[in-house]
Amino acid sequence: MTYKNIISAILSVSLIIILSSCNSQSIDNTAQESEIDLFAMDTYMSLKAYGTTGETALQKASDKIKALETTLSVTNEESEIFRLNSAGGKKTEISSDTAFLIERSLEINKETNGAFDITLYPVTKEWGFTTGSYKIPSQARIDELLANVGSDNILLDTDGNYVSLKNEANIDLGGIAKGYAGSCAEDIIKAEGVTSAILNMGGNVQTIGTKPDGSSWKVGIQDPSDSTQLVGTVEVADKAVVTSGGYERYFEDELGNIYWHILDPKTGYSAKTDIISVTVIGSDGTTCDALSTSLFVMGTEKSVDYLKTYRNHDAVIVSNDNTLYITKGIINEFKASNEFSGYKIITI
Ligand code: AMP
Ligand code: MG
């Protein structure tokens, strides 16, 4: 993680805290507040829960997030994904967490016509996005690596949780893992009887129930060009709010060209469309995470078609022509910040 990313992560965590404290008069003061801060999955996370079982719930949730990080990391040699990527195509036993994520990733790959593809890893690695040792690969190298990209190289046997990767394919669950960690944490926290919690995991926010006083959570959407500012806020209850944008991880060449970490599987280059950032809101954090990455690759027009077809997700898209595209389902819950009040809003 770069110094800039660390600062931006700290700032985005602080923004959420500021938003919660602005509303502190309305929080039920009788509800006991617990908080755990941790660094996992390359992100500063702040987990907050209300009520007497909150502390135990957060401890269990934090343990699960750390365990998932160890299982799913693409760079940690001890991880299941590392073992699978090094198996030379052999059938490998995997945990039910990994099997579920691969299965969901394959479904989303189909739904998004290939925009979401976990087999892009060899290309992402070549650009240095997973290690921070950035470089611009030659076109020949990209073409060579793209030849082995494609979700049909993943043979998943969910009966016994086995998988094999054909044609030297390698996978990376970086576009979906944090959302899944949020969903698992949500289940664990609810099972402890907590009805009010908010998990800020960088660009992923998972809300559980409502605020202790029964009102909605107010979640800030980060301004893609200034991590201290917001595009606006959305009021949600029991939903995940997941944002993807090029600003999260990128590097610049000597000519000032910017390359970011979300790649278009068709080209092997950073996905460049009219979208600057996209926030997906829905009940399932895992899907919201995969979709925020996918819609960023697809651009506004295809994203609008997708959202209209599947209708079970809301979104706020910031496009490069000073327009916010917002789904009907969330439009009344969205409030633009002063900086974005001049933007045109198109309801989709
Ligand atoms: P997110 O921050 O959730 O949008 O995820 C970005 C991460 O997903 C990147 O750092 C890569 O690890 C991975 N990734 C990049 N492009 C894609 C893609 N087109 N499909 C699936 N995963 C991707
Ligand atoms: Mg994602």
Side-chain angles (χ1 to χ4, degrees):
M1 196 184 215
T2 61
Y3 178 71
K4 196 166 179 185
N5 280 342
I6 292 173
I7 297 298
S8 111
I10 293 171
L11 288 170
S12 47
V13 168
S14 343
L15 274 172
I16 300 293
I17 293 165
I18 291 163
L19 285 171
S20 345
S21 59
C22 287
N23 295 302
S24 56
Q25 328 64 324
S26 56
I27 285 189
D28 174 1
N29 289 323
T30 59
Q32 186 182 320
E33 181 183 291
S34 308
E35 181 172 354
I36 288 187
D37 296 332
L38 69 151
F39 183 75
M41 300 181 156
D42 224 7
T43 308
Y44 284 96
M45 302 185 180
S46 163
L47 320 180
K48 260 189 195 174
Y50 295 86
T52 50
T53 55
E55 196 173 340
T56 319
L58 290 187
Q59 195 53 59
K60 288 186 179 173
S62 147
D63 290 348
K64 178 67 182 178
I65 294 168
K66 287 186 207 147
L68 282 172
E69 174 183 39
T70 310
T71 307
L72 304 173
S73 163
V74 75
T75 48
N76 178 351
E77 297 189 7
E78 307 294 313
S79 85
E80 215 171 84
I81 298 300
F82 194 92
R83 190 161 49 83
L84 173 62
N85 284 340
S86 317
K90 282 206 244 11
K91 191 167 169 176
T92 306
E93 189 167 11
I94 48 172
S95 62
S96 53
D97 287 318
T98 304
F100 172 79
L101 282 176
I102 294 178
E103 194 176 15
R104 196 72 196 102
S105 296
L106 291 173
E107 285 163 8
I108 293 173
N109 174 263
K110 284 215 176 72
E111 277 181 25
T112 61
N113 289 322
F116 189 77
D117 198 328
I118 57 174
T119 66
L120 255 179
Y121 179 53
V123 187
T124 321
K125 188 179 172 187
E126 189 71 15
W127 281 95
F129 286 116
T130 48
T131 55
S133 308
Y134 301 123
K135 69 160 188 264
I136 303 168
S138 68
Q139 186 64 54
R141 183 71 180 135
I142 290 180
D143 291 344
E144 185 188 348
L145 293 170
L146 275 181
N148 295 339
V149 168
S151 282
D152 47 358
N153 289 321
I154 303 175
L155 303 182
L156 179 67
D157 171 357
T158 43
D159 281 349
N161 292 343
Y162 287 98
V163 68
S164 38
L165 301 174
K166 297 295 159 209
N167 298 320
E168 296 172 33
N170 266 206
I171 63 164
D172 154 38
L173 297 169
I176 189 169
K178 250 200 282 170
Y180 181 65
S183 294
C184 291
E186 174 193 7
D187 292 345
I188 290 168
I189 290 168
K190 284 183 174 167
E192 290 298 316
V194 172
T195 55
S196 176
I198 184 157
L199 317 178
N200 181 14
M201 307 163 76
N204 292 48
V205 176
Q206 176 69 56
T207 64
I208 290 155
T210 61
K211 287 201 284 191
D213 67 357
S215 63
S216 300
W217 299 102
K218 208 183 247 191
V219 178
I221 298 175
Q222 193 183 313
D223 177 345
S225 55
D226 181 351
S227 61
T228 65
Q229 301 292 327
L230 296 177
V231 171
T233 56
V234 280
E235 291 203 29
V236 293
D238 225 22
K239 295 249 163 87
V241 180
V242 182
T243 304
S244 286
Y247 64 90
E248 290 175 306
R249 182 173 309 192
Y250 63 90
F251 70 96
E252 205 171 330
D253 68 12
E254 58 285 354
L255 298 173
N257 298 311
I258 290 184
Y259 303 89
W260 48 63
H261 68 311
I262 304 176
L263 305 184
D264 184 340
K266 292 200 172 70
T267 63
Y269 276 81
S270 299
K272 295 225 163 127
T273 67
D274 57 337
I275 294 185
I276 298 176
S277 88
V278 48
T279 300
V280 178
I281 301 143
S283 341
D284 177 42
T286 312
T287 311
C288 289
D289 193 357
L291 283 184
S292 68
T293 311
S294 311
L295 300 188
F296 186 83
V297 174
M298 287 154 68
T300 304
E301 203 179 322
K302 286 187 186 151
S303 294
V304 170
D305 284 348
Y306 178 91
L307 291 163
K308 285 186 174 163
T309 309
Y310 290 92
R311 270 293 166 223
N312 44 0
H313 287 88
D314 282 303
V316 176
I317 296 173
V318 181
S319 88
N320 62 9
D321 58 352
N322 294 356
T323 305
L324 301 176
Y325 292 82
I326 305 178
T327 51
K328 274 191 236 159
I330 201 79
I331 191 86
N332 294 330
E333 276 67 52
F334 175 80
K335 193 169 179 303
S337 65
N338 285 341
E339 288 74 15
F340 283 77
S341 56
Y343 272 53
K344 185 173 166 193
I345 292 186
I346 297 184
T347 310
I348 49 177

